[in-house]
Amino acid sequence: MTSQTNLPEIADVLIIGAGASGGVAARRLVDAGLSVVALEQGEWQDATQYRGAYWDWELGALKTWSSNPNVRQSPADYPVDVSDSDMGVINFNGVGGATILFNAVWMRLTPDDFRRRSANGVGDDWPISYEELQPFYERTDREIGVSGLAGDPVYPPPNDEFPLPPFNLRPGALKVARAVASKGWHWWPPTNAIITANYDGRRGCVLRGACQTGCNEGAKSSIDVTHWKPAVKAGCNLVTGARVRRILLDEGGLAAGAEWLDVDGGVHVQRARIVLCAANGVGTARLLLASAGEGHPDGLANSSGLVGRHLMLHPLAKVTGFFAEPLESWEGPFATDLTVLEFANVDRSRGHVAPVKWSMHHGGAGPVAEGLKVLTEQAPGGEHHARFRTRFGRTIGWTIMAEDMPDENNRVTLSPDLVDSSGLPAPKVRYRYNDDVLRALTWNVERSSDILRDAGAFEIETLNPGMADAHLMGTARMGDDPKTSVVDRWGMSHDVPNLGIIDGSIFVTASCVNPTSTICALALRTAERLIDTRAEWREPKVPVVPAAPAGRPRAEAPAPASPVFSAGERERLAALADALLPGDEVMPPASGVDVAGAGLDRVLSARPDLAEILHTLLAEPVSDPLAWLGALKDRSAADHRQLLIAVAGAYYTDKRIKDLVGYPGQPETPHRPDRGVPAYMEEGLLDHLFAAQ
Ligand SMILES: Cc1cc2nc3c(=O)[nH]c(=O)nc-3n(C[C@H](O)[C@H](O)[C@H](O)COP(=O)(O)OP(=O)(O)OC[C@H]3O[C@@H](n4cnc5c(N)ncnc54)[C@H](O)[C@@H]3O)c2cc1C
Ligand code: SF4
């Protein structure tokens, strides 16, 4: 953490939130010689401690490295109230923001995404065009180190070379590419924010597949690596553990700084000439609403009443195909093996409007996640191992992602009762699926299932709709009219001219592609604009600091219960584990690998938080394990899941079990990109796209 005493009294620019957008802006602004202070509620991450390189990565992924803040519950997080929402939201709070956990799919919006209403009569138009953003996309692509194959006729111009070659197609992806090409449909190798070879002092991807719990190598272009480290080196003052409580104005209504709380509850004021919100599509709306005051009782920058409204997520469906042959689907990267944009346009003849993108990936699940899934879905008992064998390492999946439409009733407000670890109101998300989007998902699920069958899948599993989303957009939309938008075409507030917003809040349409490339390009564009117009900046006066409650130290996570388990508790766990994992002709039962002994101790060393619920569950005698498990599931699905995590974790992290299921762990396998003409091009699998041009 930067020492607080070193901070400039008045920074040129104050950035709130050290995620993707904040990093891109900070790096550019300090390079231009401006003094920048950034306040981040979380901390720097130590890449050597990401669990991907260790035996317990899957256990960590279910708690400390979960993308769900309501599961992580770390003091750096704020909870999100999703009790009245069709979809949950996910994030990460720390330097790098959600890019610490992101999948690094890196795509640009298309020109039509910026003019959805004029082009297709739905949604809205942005006040800016793709062409205005294009130079900023190109610059951020180079800074990030994007890998991909140039020349996609469907991808936005100019289709010049990417800094790095794409990932090679894995055998499973090749089967799928053949199936898609035989229909004459679009497909293309992925564009990822992952370096496929050494680049810019960073080590290329080693295919661990643990991208969603942080990349040990720095091959994934999380923004702490690509932007925050260079920004700090160039003089940016990044303060971690600094939670902004509200943005402050001067008496003339200019943004004059922000009030923030340190981890001990100390209250600080940082003054600045420009304030930029970079707290993401939920965090920024929360902060603006929490900054209500005299003259703006409904929140700051909110004369339109639109702060928090038009929340757009990316409704998702998941389609998984099971294949007879081993595909080693645990191997990395997790992101995308290939992309299908055949249906990423508006065509009403399909019976829906929403454009949809398909991303193919090869699963990414290790044995604990796969074992847990089988335990969750099946009745306990004998079929577990047979089912596990059909799944593990043999799946290919589609993530089907639909463009959300802006709806002002989908919104972020402040929760009346939920607070974060500093006692500040948590955001409440209220989101309803759009009927057209649901039709679009179903239409695409059917066709993407057919493709997997054509590629050889003998069984298809679908989740439609499903999953929480991390693409948080639209809650402070951009526009030329202050009555219908929150910020102008440069990302600056209509109401407060020196207050900018640079995260996904300012999106007008959602597109059906992942947003972070566009978030970063927009942040760079705003930073450039501020540099160019510096001579015109108005100087704010001393901030007015209305009375507010004293800060309070952050509530720490409760200390874990004792990891010491009695003989009786272990006996009960052994009986339950054997009922869940009884053993068959290949696999030993749970007791065969001491799940309730060394296995339990191993799990607790990685997940001490499980001790409390296990002590509670194992307190009473268990006479009939199967009946006991059924009753627990009926009584509390959450407690039942914790028990399954402990059992699957203890069993599938055992060395003998890993050998039996053929899991090598997450070894380093340096990726060697194909520098010649890739085999799929030689095979002509892209020819139909060039012929159609
Ligand atoms: C699991 C997962 C997978 C994803 N995969 C992809 C993908 O493949 N492709 C893609 O394009 N996108 C993906 N995303 C989304 C992507 O990470 C986000 O779009 C991007 O990080 C958003 O950048 P941002 O700057 O808006 O906010 P964030 O990166 O979320 O950063 C916001 C920061 O602000 C801080 N903050 C918030 N409030 C305060 C406050 N009051 N005071 C101080 N600090 C505060 C937070 O702690 C956080 O660090 C994924 C995200 C997740 C979680
Ligand atoms: S697969 Fe590549 S990008 Fe993903 S965590 Fe491993 S090294 Fe990093």
Side-chain angles (χ1 to χ4, degrees):
M1 171 173 151
T2 302
S3 158
Q4 291 159 28
T5 52
N6 291 339
L7 300 177
E9 188 193 345
I10 307 180
D12 287 328
V13 182
L14 170 63
I15 297 178
I16 301 171
S21 55
V24 169
R27 181 171 159 183
R28 180 65 194 106
L29 292 166
V30 284
D31 281 351
L34 300 183
S35 75
V36 177
V37 171
L39 300 175
E40 166 56 50
Q41 65 188 338
E43 299 296 336
W44 285 95
Q45 305 306 309
D46 174 357
T48 65
Q49 293 309 305
Y50 292 140
R51 305 320 296 164
Y54 304 95
W55 66 271
D56 59 349
W57 73 281
E58 293 190 275
L59 287 165
L62 294 166
K63 180 69 182 169
T64 315
W65 299 100
S66 166
S67 53
N68 185 338
N70 296 344
V71 171
R72 279 193 313 268
Q73 296 180 331
S74 100
D77 289 317
Y78 53 86
V80 183
D81 181 349
V82 289
S83 55
D84 183 26
S85 182
D86 285 351
M87 276 180 89
V89 300
I90 51 178
N91 65 18
F92 188 78
N93 297 306
V95 179
T99 67
I100 297 293
L101 304 185
F102 87 150
N103 292 326
V105 177
W106 196 258
M107 297 188 71
R108 298 180 189 181
L109 269 60
T110 65
D112 272 0
D113 289 331
F114 289 89
R115 48 176 193 238
R116 182 63 73 224
R117 176 148 291 279
S118 3
N120 308 112
V122 290
D124 276 305
D125 284 351
W126 293 60
I128 60 171
S129 65
Y130 172 81
E131 289 69 26
E132 283 172 79
L133 207 51
Q134 183 178 319
F136 301 98
Y137 276 127
E138 287 166 4
R139 281 168 60 184
T140 43
D141 275 9
R142 282 193 295 277
E143 289 170 6
I144 291 283
V146 177
S147 56
L149 179 71
D152 184 346
V154 172
Y155 202 66
N159 291 325
D160 54 359
E161 289 298 318
F162 289 97
L164 288 137
F167 279 100
N168 305 335
L169 276 202
R170 298 165 59 86
L174 198 56
K175 288 173 195 280
V176 172
R178 287 189 186 118
V180 180
S182 73
K183 300 250 187 227
W185 291 350
H186 173 272
W187 76 275
W188 203 259
T191 311
N192 289 325
I194 300 178
I195 54 171
T196 45
N198 295 352
Y199 179 77
D200 202 15
R202 292 158 55 202
R203 187 174 179 218
C205 178
V206 297
L207 307 181
R208 276 193 218 282
C211 319
Q212 268 201 5
T213 50
C215 175
N216 299 87
E217 270 53 51
K220 189 180 78 167
S221 301
S222 55
I223 303 286
D224 55 331
V225 173
T226 58
H227 286 77
W228 281 111
K229 281 184 183 161
V232 168
K233 201 166 167 198
C236 175
N237 302 281
L238 170 54
V239 190
T240 59
R243 177 169 274 152
V244 175
R245 170 154 80 173
R246 54 187 176 170
I247 295 166
L248 301 171
L249 302 183
D250 71 5
E251 59 192 16
L254 285 180
E259 184 181 65
W260 61 276
L261 307 179
D262 62 34
V263 292
D264 299 319
V267 182
H268 308 258
V269 170
Q270 176 62 50
R271 295 178 60 187
R273 298 181 175 89
I274 300 282
V275 175
L276 294 180
C277 293
N280 84 29
V282 168
T284 286
R286 173 196 187 208
L287 183 59
L288 293 175
L289 295 172
S291 301
E294 207 182 314
H296 49 280
D298 298 325
L300 192 58
N302 197 19
S303 63
S304 63
L306 294 179
V307 168
R309 291 190 181 271
H310 296 116
L311 171 68
M312 293 178 288
L313 303 171
H314 271 142
L316 301 159
K318 199 145 191 146
V319 180
T320 306
F322 297 29
F323 289 74
E325 63 278 24
L327 297 169
E328 297 183 337
S329 17
W330 56 78
E331 199 176 71
F334 183 73
T336 305
D337 285 359
L338 61 85
T339 307
V340 171
L341 297 177
E342 182 68 22
F343 309 109
N345 61 342
V346 174
D347 178 349
R348 287 182 166 78
S349 70
R350 296 177 193 138
H352 60 263
V353 175
V356 175
K357 175 188 75 139
W358 305 3
S359 300
M360 193 220 111
H361 50 85
H362 49 273
V368 175
E370 208 67 92
L372 186 59
K373 195 160 184 1
V374 178
L375 283 176
T376 309
E377 287 173 0
Q378 272 195 180
E383 297 306 307
H384 175 90
H385 300 293
R387 184 65 181 157
F388 180 92
R389 280 192 287 273
T390 63
R391 307 187 57 103
F392 182 57
R394 293 165 192 261
T395 54
I396 291 178
W398 291 114
T399 298
I400 307 293
M401 195 160 95
E403 173 168 337
D404 209 353
M405 293 295 157
D407 173 349
E408 67 173 31
N409 295 315
N410 287 338
R411 62 187 296 201
V412 176
T413 54
L414 294 181
S415 168
D417 37 45
L418 195 64
V419 294
D420 67 17
S421 59
S422 305
L424 306 181
K428 180 176 171 76
V429 168
R430 188 262 178 210
Y431 177 89
R432 293 283 173 269
Y433 284 121
N434 168 303
D435 287 343
D436 178 78
V437 163
L438 291 180
R439 278 198 302 278
L441 287 179
T442 299
W443 192 93
N444 283 272
V445 162
E446 285 163 7
R447 278 145 192 87
S448 57
S449 301
D450 288 345
I451 289 291
L452 290 180
R453 281 190 203 97
D454 293 351
F458 64 84
E459 185 183 331
I460 305 289
E461 184 181 81
T462 59
L463 181 66
N464 175 28
M467 309 191 294
D469 188 41
H471 302 165
L472 314 173
M473 300 164 282
T475 50
R477 57 186 359 214
M478 181 188 268
D480 287 332
D481 183 350
K483 291 198 188 65
T484 56
S485 57
V486 176
V487 296
D488 67 13
R489 58 178 50 234
W490 299 106
M492 302 306 288
S493 153
H494 290 300
D495 296 356
V496 185
N498 64 337
L499 172 68
I501 301 177
I502 55 175
D503 55 46
S505 312
I506 63 179
F507 276 40
V508 179
T509 59
S511 175
C512 63
V513 306
N514 311 54
T516 310
S517 162
T518 302
I519 290 174
C520 291
L522 287 165
L524 181 60
R525 181 172 171 272
T526 296
E528 286 296 345
R529 168 76 175 175
L530 289 172
I531 294 163
D532 292 347
T533 58
R534 192 177 177 196
E536 299 157 29
W537 292 8
R538 286 161 59 189
E539 191 74 17
K541 299 194 177 63
V542 179
V544 178
V545 187
R552 74 171 205 206
R554 284 190 192 177
E556 289 297 325
S562 164
V564 179
F565 278 70
S566 68
E569 288 173 310
R570 287 184 190 270
E571 212 173 284
R572 282 163 218 146
L573 180 63
L576 293 167
D578 271 349
L580 289 162
L581 298 168
D584 69 1
E585 66 282 4
V586 184
M587 304 299 294
S591 51
V593 291
D594 200 15
V595 156
L600 174 62
D601 294 338
R602 196 167 52 243
V603 166
L604 291 176
S605 72
R607 291 287 310 275
D609 59 289
L610 288 173
E612 185 173 349
I613 183 65
L614 291 177
H615 279 307
T616 307
L617 295 178
L618 301 173
E620 298 299 326
V622 176
S623 54
D624 179 346
L626 285 178
W628 188 96
L629 285 163
L632 173 62
K633 195 172 182 181
D634 291 344
R635 192 172 75 238
S636 168
D639 290 355
H640 182 253
R641 182 169 166 79
Q642 300 304 306
L643 179 75
L644 297 192
I645 289 172
V647 171
Y651 189 76
Y652 284 106
T653 55
D654 181 87
K655 168 87 175 68
R656 193 171 141 214
I657 299 299
K658 285 199 265 191
D659 289 346
L660 281 169
V661 301
Y663 179 60
Q666 308 81 249
E668 292 183 24
T669 315
H671 177 257
R672 310 223 179 282
D674 196 341
R675 299 278 179 179
V677 178
Y680 51 85
M681 289 188 99
E682 283 191 343
E683 198 180 322
L685 295 181
L686 293 173
D687 288 358
H688 60 295
L689 300 179
F690 301 124
Q693 272 188 301

